[in-house]
Every structure is written in C-alpha cells, then in structure tokens.
Amino acid sequence: MVAAMLLFSGTMATPASAQQPKAIDCTNAVNQMEMGYCAEKDFQAADSKLNEYWKPARQAAIARDQELQGDDKGAEKALLAAQRAWIAYRDATCVAEGFAMRDGSAEDMTVSMCKTRLTQQRTKDLKAYADSLKQK
C-alpha cells in the first residue's frame, strides 16, 4: 500500500501555481512588488561592487602600514573601524529614511534605494582612499 502511494504521488502532475514565476523585467517594473524586488537587486549589485573595491582599499592600507614604523602604523585597523561604522551608519540612515513610507508597501523599496545610493557613494570613497594611499 505504501509503495502504491509513493508510486502514485510521484506521478501526480505539478499544479500550475507551483510553476516558475515569470521573470521580472527591472527596466519595466509595473507594480510595487516588482519595484521592491528590483530595488533589492540594485542594492545587491551595489554591495557586490563595493566588495570589489574593498579588497584594493584594504590592500592599500596594508601596504601603507608596511611603509610605516611602530606607532605610525594603523591604516588597516582604521579602515576596518571606519567600514564597520559606515555599515552601521548606512543601515540606520536607511531605516530612518524608510519611515517616510512606514507601514506602506514602498517602505522596503525606500530602504533598499537608500542603501544602494549610500553604497555607491561609499564605493567611490573607497576607490579614492585606495588611490590616495597609492600616491604616497
């Protein structure tokens, strides 16, 4: 009996609701759910780019520390502390911005858009930081 039930359950057709959802075209998002999804994807892309720029910024700080003596060292430690503080700042700032849409369907999208904007700016800042250390 159990084998028959397993056999039967394996041959059942998949309901239409379990099919793959249609792909969301973020160049033409038409409803709040799609716009929120696209805003989150934009943030993920910006965060990924920031992580690409973090590595050379950190390497530049390490290289600068290697050029310095004793108590003058600390570029890498300072950069890490700054980055941790910046993440806390970004997240708190964007939660605060989200209050403009509090309890509305656009709140999450507003937070994601804020995080994207600040992350893109931080990426530029990290690049400038690394470039400035390389010029020393």
Side-chain angles (χ1 to χ4, degrees):
M1 175 101 162
V2 172
M5 288 172 47
L6 289 174
L7 179 63
F8 177 72
S9 67
T11 60
M12 290 177 52
T14 304
S17 62
Q19 294 176 358
Q20 287 288 82
K22 70 175 184 131
I24 295 174
D25 177 8
C26 287
T27 61
N28 191 29
V30 294
N31 62 45
Q32 188 60 55
M33 189 277 305
E34 290 178 354
M35 290 185 284
Y37 170 84
C38 295
E40 178 62 25
K41 295 298 275 185
D42 288 346
F43 167 64
Q44 290 172 359
D47 192 54
S48 179
K49 185 130 183 136
L50 177 126
N51 287 323
E52 288 176 29
Y53 280 85
W54 168 255
K55 292 173 187 173
R58 183 168 177 255
Q59 288 303 315
I62 290 169
R64 182 68 177 136
D65 278 343
Q66 290 172 347
E67 297 168 357
L68 299 171
Q69 302 295 316
D71 291 343
D72 287 341
K73 293 182 181 208
E76 180 189 17
K77 185 177 178 181
L79 178 62
L80 182 57
Q83 189 66 10
R84 287 178 176 156
W86 175 82
I87 290 168
Y89 162 80
R90 178 201 61 197
D91 292 350
T93 296
C94 294
V95 166
E97 279 192 26
F99 272 87
M101 299 293 179
R102 190 55 157 194
D103 294 329
S105 61
E107 183 177 359
D108 289 342
M109 180 185 74
T110 301
V111 171
S112 291
M113 290 169 64
C114 172
K115 288 171 115 179
T116 299
R117 183 183 76 249
L118 295 180
T119 300
Q120 288 170 336
Q121 182 58 53
R122 181 64 176 165
T123 301
K124 292 176 189 174
D125 294 343
L126 285 175
K127 182 181 182 325
Y129 172 83
D131 290 346
S132 72
L133 288 183
K134 291 175 186 174
Q135 294 174 2
K136 300 283 179 200

